[in-house]
Amino acid sequence: MAGKQIDFPPLQKEDSRVAPFMLALSLVCIVIVVVILLTDLDGPFIGPWG
């Protein structure tokens, strides 16, 4: 196999702000879900439980 060599592009450097932002977004989502469950809202989007 004397074909062309595959050239891989250089690895992209990860932005240092991505991980903290995603962690904060996850925590915000968790807080929203906990608040919805604790307030025991009776809405069409919540579901039949509660």
Side-chain angles (χ1 to χ4, degrees):
M1 270 176 72
K4 283 170 74 175
Q5 176 113 14
I6 298 174
D7 291 330
F8 291 101
L11 291 176
Q12 292 181 348
K13 187 169 171 73
E14 181 182 341
D15 194 350
S16 61
R17 295 169 292 184
V18 172
F21 175 75
M22 294 306 288
L23 184 62
L25 187 64
S26 300
L27 290 175
V28 167
C29 291
I30 291 171
V31 167
I32 290 173
V33 169
V34 167
V35 167
I36 288 174
L37 292 177
L38 288 180
T39 55
D40 204 20
L41 292 177
D42 192 18
F45 62 93
I46 299 297
W49 59 86

